[in-house]
Amino acid sequence: MVLHANRLEDLRDLLTHFLKSQPLPPMQAEVILVQSNGMKHWLEMALADESALGICAATRMELPGSYLWQVYRSVLGAEAVPHHMPFDKASLLWRLMRLLPVLANGDGEAGLVYAPLKRYLSGGTDDRRLYQLAQQIADVFDGYQSYRADWLSDWSADNNTLRFHDGKPAVLEDVHAWQAQLWRDIRLDIGDALADASRSTVHARFMTKLRVLVDEYKSTGKLPVGIPPRIVVFGISSLSMQTVEALALLGQLSQVLMLVQNPCQYYWGDIVEGHDRLRQQVRRRQQTKLHRSPNSTSMPTHTLLASWGKQGRDYLHLLDDFDRVEDYQGKVKRVDAFVDPVSIAQFPTQLAQVQSAILHLEPLPDEQIALTPGDTSITLVTTHSAQREVEVLHDFLLGWFETDPDLHARDVMVMVPDMEVFAPHIHAVFGRFARGQ
């Protein structure tokens, strides 16, 4: 079951109501999947608040990837699936650090395949370039395991092809052929015992076995060992097709509740931008009329949502494809968890008005939004360096905490484009004072 809300606090309230109304047995832990350790900490504090459960206990809050791997081991058997993922990004990084110099300096046909990597690595005098390259390749192969398992399957069979959504194979260009060869060399280095222990191959075996267990469960009513009675997915902004596919099938054995943060209460999957917008308009004239929200007059209606929410839009599409509404339709009441930020504010800020327009899928007015005196809800600051940017942030935070006694550190989220760049500046600025000063 998928529930939507535009604020995390409302998702927390939905989860609280659900846990109170349908508690698990006392010795059974709640499994809650979150997207980061930061979200885990926030949710633990939010559930422990007196306005929620009052205490957060008997919960297993885990990341989706690591938790599903343990489910794979439970279903397929510990002897068939290793405890740690041998093709995990962290493991691949150090394996590639060892393999790349050897492979890039090879002779014969293999040397020609790895010529692009050899040219890149020859431009450095230390191992920094090798580490950066290994890190990037490990990240790409990690993504392939989740999103392009068919490519890896073809490459493992000595087939240097790419299959796209139309199903037509395309041969890898010579400049990219090293990817297929490197995947085969990694499998060879790992060994025959674990060569088929990548996330994609284990997932395929898991889905086959789980379908058999689903059929047995329908006839016996006995839940298989290792499958929890309930899985809650809280506030995750994006999941891979593999993960959603596994959760959908697990939903036929146990309760799977997905709490999704959605900025708009109407369907907004058909709002597009740029050249996509033009193609959409032509297609609309030639084919069928697009689904619209009750308040929309033309599509697309909100350019900010169209350009900002591409990943979220695709994720919501994916959930709609897997959500089996017929299984619970009529068994649960419709819950309207969307809250208009303007309706709960005495003096709506500029940010609240923008959020309200997105919520109702309404275009922003052509004229400037009316501002209340002292409205700093949206503030743009120009600085000359990362150091100065963190210094300004430090001063802003001190000012906010000084003027608003209800604001706490747990209410603040700071996002940066590259933490490695900002980390030393954060330590320099925020580490000037001892704890408690």
Side-chain angles (χ1 to χ4, degrees):
M1 182 167 58
V2 182
L3 298 177
H4 299 256
N6 59 321
R7 302 190 311 168
L8 276 178
E9 294 85 351
D10 298 314
L11 287 182
R12 189 279 311 260
D13 293 342
L14 284 174
L15 177 59
T16 300
H17 175 75
F18 198 85
L19 298 183
K20 285 182 176 180
S21 60
Q22 301 185 31
L24 294 179
M27 302 303 293
Q28 184 70 52
E30 289 282 355
V31 176
I32 304 177
L33 305 185
V34 293
Q35 66 182 5
S36 66
N37 289 325
M39 177 62 76
K40 173 184 176 181
H41 177 69
W42 180 89
L43 184 57
E44 287 174 339
M45 299 296 292
L47 291 177
D49 192 83
E50 291 298 330
S51 61
L53 298 177
I55 185 173
C56 181
T59 58
R60 288 182 57 190
M61 295 193 187
E62 302 195 28
L63 303 181
S66 58
Y67 176 74
L68 274 181
W69 187 262
Q70 299 308 315
V71 176
Y72 291 165
R73 297 190 78 229
S74 299
V75 171
L76 297 176
E79 66 284 351
V81 180
H83 188 270
H84 297 288
M85 295 178 278
F87 291 86
D88 186 50
K89 182 163 55 176
S91 302
L92 276 181
L93 169 62
W94 300 111
R95 189 178 299 275
L96 288 168
M97 283 281 290
R98 175 173 53 84
L99 286 177
L100 287 178
V102 178
L103 297 174
N105 293 306
D107 299 325
E109 185 177 349
L112 293 176
V113 172
Y114 288 115
L117 300 187
K118 183 176 181 179
R119 286 195 300 269
Y120 179 80
L121 293 175
S122 63
T125 58
D126 55 19
D127 290 338
R128 183 182 305 175
R129 180 169 292 206
L130 172 61
Y131 175 80
Q132 292 172 341
L133 177 63
Q135 190 176 42
Q136 290 294 326
I137 294 176
D139 185 63
V140 170
F141 277 171
D142 185 70
Y144 285 167
Q145 292 181 69
S146 297
Y147 297 96
R148 297 303 336 200
D150 52 339
W151 291 2
L152 298 181
S153 178
D154 287 343
W155 295 351
S156 299
D158 290 336
N159 187 4
N160 290 10
T161 59
L162 300 174
R163 295 183 182 273
F164 296 99
H165 297 296
D166 57 5
K168 297 179 181 179
V171 180
L172 268 173
E173 299 179 7
D174 292 341
V175 70
H176 300 303
W178 62 266
Q179 294 190 53
Q181 184 60 46
L182 180 58
W183 179 251
R184 290 191 286 268
D185 286 333
I186 291 173
R187 284 169 49 88
L188 185 64
D189 184 72
I190 287 179
D192 294 338
L194 297 177
D196 290 325
S198 67
R199 189 182 300 112
S200 54
T201 55
V202 172
H203 173 78
R205 286 156 39 204
F206 165 77
M207 294 297 291
T208 301
K209 180 66 176 295
L210 194 61
R211 291 187 182 97
V212 175
L213 295 179
V214 168
D215 294 336
E216 294 177 355
Y217 174 74
K218 290 179 179 178
S219 59
T220 63
K222 184 178 180 181
L223 191 66
V225 177
I227 304 298
R230 179 159 64 212
I231 301 175
V232 178
V233 182
F234 184 87
I236 296 181
S237 58
S238 180
L239 289 172
S240 67
M241 168 68 85
Q242 285 183 358
T243 304
V244 176
E245 188 180 43
L247 289 172
L249 194 54
L250 285 170
Q252 299 186 40
L253 295 172
S254 58
Q255 225 175 21
V256 175
L257 178 66
M258 304 197 71
L259 299 169
V260 182
Q261 193 173 12
N262 190 343
C264 182
Q265 62 180 327
Y266 300 118
Y267 175 76
W268 54 283
D270 49 11
I271 65 173
V272 289
E273 62 168 348
H275 296 293
D276 290 337
R277 177 186 301 179
L278 179 60
R279 285 194 292 268
Q280 189 87 354
Q281 291 173 346
V282 173
R283 193 179 303 116
R284 184 168 66 249
R285 296 192 194 102
Q286 294 176 346
Q287 298 178 0
T288 58
K289 185 177 180 181
L290 293 177
H291 175 77
R292 305 174 179 219
S293 74
N295 295 340
S296 65
T297 57
S298 62
M299 295 296 288
T301 60
H302 203 292
T303 54
L304 178 60
L305 183 60
S307 59
W308 163 60
K310 292 180 181 178
Q311 186 180 26
R313 176 187 63 198
D314 294 341
Y315 177 53
L316 293 176
H317 270 176
L318 185 62
L319 294 184
D320 287 340
D321 291 340
F322 281 95
D323 189 19
R324 298 167 58 92
V325 180
E326 63 276 6
D327 289 348
Y328 57 85
Q329 193 171 21
K331 299 179 182 178
V332 296
K333 295 181 179 179
R334 173 180 173 82
V335 179
D336 189 3
F338 291 97
V339 176
D340 191 340
V342 170
S343 66
I344 60 176
Q346 184 177 4
F347 302 102
T349 62
Q350 186 180 28
L351 176 60
Q353 294 178 64
V354 172
Q355 291 173 329
S356 178
I358 293 176
L359 177 66
H360 298 294
L361 202 57
E362 297 174 343
L364 290 173
D366 295 332
E367 65 275 5
Q368 184 177 356
I369 294 178
L371 297 179
T372 57
D375 185 357
T376 59
S377 58
I378 298 178
T379 304
L380 304 180
V381 180
T382 302
T383 59
H384 60 271
S385 67
Q387 175 73 18
R388 181 58 186 154
E389 191 171 345
V390 178
E391 290 173 351
V392 172
L393 169 66
H394 181 270
D395 294 342
F396 265 94
L397 289 174
L398 286 181
W400 291 334
F401 289 134
E402 182 71 21
T403 57
D404 187 355
D406 295 328
L407 182 65
H408 303 282
R410 64 174 179 268
D411 301 321
V412 177
M413 175 183 290
V414 179
M415 296 183 291
V416 297
D418 190 343
M419 182 54 73
E420 291 186 0
V421 173
F422 280 84
H425 302 290
I426 293 173
H427 287 298
V429 174
F430 285 84
R432 292 179 295 173
F433 306 101
R435 187 176 183 86
Q437 285 184 286

